[in-house]
């Protein structure tokens, strides 16, 4: 099953997980001017080419080219997919992901539910998915 989070929610999760603080819990970062640098967690190196940019809340490794936001960092570091990474960061920042859906999503769900109920009803009535030919007795007994 595919799940999607609204973009605003992803943005909020990103803003609640400061990249310097997050990456700093995995990598020993040193301040370098406006940015921070450290040894890249994705490739082996002796001098730090891994850089964190607080202003853009992003990271980039000049050694291996790895880069992105907190979400990409966690995806690669924790071996998660995008959705799992978003959930990981939400939990980390104490956010509860809303059960509530957007009006468009609820509408879509309602339509799907109605369709499913109709199908179930038709199935019960033997109008659908019947492999055997319908027999008249089946109805006269009930
Ligand atoms: Zn690297």
């Amino acid at each position: 099953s595919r799940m999607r989070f609204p973009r605003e929610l992803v943005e909020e999760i990103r803003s609640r997980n400061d990249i310097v603080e997050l990456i700093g819990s995995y990598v020993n970062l040193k301040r370098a001017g406006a940015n921070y640098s450290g040894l890249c967690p994705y490739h082996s190196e002796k001098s730090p080419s891994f850089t964190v940019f607080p202003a853009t809340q992003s990271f980039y490794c000049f050694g291996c080219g790895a880069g992105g936001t907190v979400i990409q960092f966690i995806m690669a570091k924790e071996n998660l997919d995008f959705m799992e990474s978003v959930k990981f960061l939400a939990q980390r920042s104490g956010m509860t992901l809303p059960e509530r859906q957007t009006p468009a999503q609820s509408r879509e769900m309602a339509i799907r539910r109605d369709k499913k109920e109709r199908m179930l009803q038709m199935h019960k009535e033997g109008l659908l998915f019947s492999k055997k030919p319908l027999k008249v007795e089946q109805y006269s007994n009930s």
Side-chain angles (χ1 to χ4, degrees):
S1 62
R2 272 181 73 91
M3 242 186 99
R4 292 186 69 188
F5 291 138
R7 208 162 69 145
E8 308 79 62
L9 183 65
V10 174
E11 286 306 315
E12 189 178 346
I13 289 164
R14 275 171 52 170
S15 72
R16 278 171 179 244
N17 286 275
D18 179 71
I19 198 159
V20 176
E21 187 266 319
L22 176 86
I23 295 182
S25 69
Y26 292 87
V27 178
N28 188 16
L29 293 174
K30 294 222 161 64
R31 198 172 184 123
N35 305 321
Y36 291 81
S37 67
L39 294 175
C40 180
Y42 305 123
H43 86 277
S44 175
E45 64 176 5
K46 291 206 172 88
S47 58
S49 45
F50 181 84
T51 308
V52 179
F53 306 93
T56 51
Q57 288 290 300
S58 63
F59 71 94
Y60 184 74
C61 174
F62 294 94
C64 70
T69 66
V70 282
I71 295 169
Q72 280 78 36
F73 181 84
I74 288 301
M75 281 171 74
K77 201 73 193 96
E78 298 288 341
N79 195 26
L80 300 174
D81 67 25
F82 183 85
M83 293 310 305
E84 290 168 338
S85 178
V86 169
K87 279 186 209 161
F88 178 97
L89 290 168
Q91 275 167 2
R92 190 181 181 275
S93 59
M95 275 179 80
T96 10
L97 293 173
E99 297 290 316
R100 195 167 50 91
Q101 287 156 324
T102 65
Q105 281 173 320
S106 333
R107 242 189 338 267
E108 196 186 301
M109 288 285 285
I111 291 166
R112 253 189 257 158
R113 202 170 45 236
D114 285 353
K115 228 183 226 170
K116 201 175 166 195
E117 270 163 21
R118 266 206 313 278
M119 296 280 272
L120 279 172
Q121 195 53 41
M122 285 167 93
H123 184 53
K124 270 184 208 155
E125 290 166 8
L127 299 172
L128 271 180
F129 309 123
S130 178
K131 282 177 185 147
K132 286 179 222 156
L134 292 176
K135 284 181 188 149
V136 180
E137 305 91 85
Q138 280 179 316
Y139 290 100
S140 57
N141 283 342
S142 56

